[in-house]
Amino acid sequence: MSDTHADRVDDAFDAWFVGNDPALDRALATSAQAGLPPIAVSATQGKLLHILACMCGAKRVLEVGTLGGYSAIWLARALGPEGRLITLEIDPAHADVARDNLKAAGLAAAAEVRLGAALDSLDALIAAKEPAFDLVFIDADKQNNPAYLRRALTLSHPGTVIIVDNVVRGGAVLDEASGDPNIAGTRAVLEMLATDPRLCATALQTVGHKGYDGFAIAIVT
Ligand code: SAH
Ligand code: DHB
Ligand code: MG
């Protein structure tokens, strides 16, 4: 799978920093078998999510966009014994694969996959007065990213870390006139992250196994 130099560097980083990990390898294998798109975060990106969750001592993590549970495993592993991850997924087949992978990873008690459109699930969490989350990872459909960020802020406390995936998309983020609602959603969420006085945010470009893309990372002040 090594096409570019950046891919070969990621191969080396994967070997050094991640290695074989039966639960993660299983998550990717079962996802491929079930025909899920191969769009989980890369191994080094997953470990970054894990480290960020550890750095903020996260006990409650919210994920928007579960797929086969790959990033959810990385995040849920950062939680202490009392910790909890809620991950939101619209596709029942994806949710089934993810539940199976979280169970096989020994994380069934810590991680809950909620089926439904994430906007509805987020509104339900807000209506239920769910306690604030310590970290939110936004990685579903990009057109709704501004609405996801607004709801994430409602479910946050000062110090909550908010991460948004796929904010570069091969550089398409610069295309102001893009007819692609995913690009428009990404541009709008970046503007919110940059200007909302409740947030201290930045964005980083990435290369390697996920191609040329990037993350935005913010902390609620
Ligand atoms: N975070 C995962 C990848 C998520 S891919 C990982 O890195 O392992 C994006 C996921 O968001 C897909 O499974 C897709 O079905 C889901 N999704 C798309 N639109 C959604 C919506 N409106 N509500 C909830 N989930 C959605
Ligand atoms: C896509 C979505 C993602 O979340 C991602 O990390 C990569 C690609 C996509 O929809 O193509
Ligand atoms: Mg993504």
Side-chain angles (χ1 to χ4, degrees), residues 46-67:
K47 194 160 182 187
L48 172 67
L49 295 175
H50 175 81
I51 290 168
L52 290 169
C54 291
M55 286 172 116
C56 66
K59 294 189 171 54
R60 293 178 47 78
V61 172
L62 175 63
E63 177 178 68
V64 183
T66 314
L67 194 65

Side-chain angles (χ1 to χ4, degrees), residues 39-41 45 137-140 142 165-166 169 210 213:
I39 58 174
V41 294
Q45 291 170 359
F137 178 47
I138 299 177
D139 189 22
K142 314 310 174 193
D165 195 19
N166 310 116
R169 300 306 282 266
K210 289 295 304 279
D213 212 325

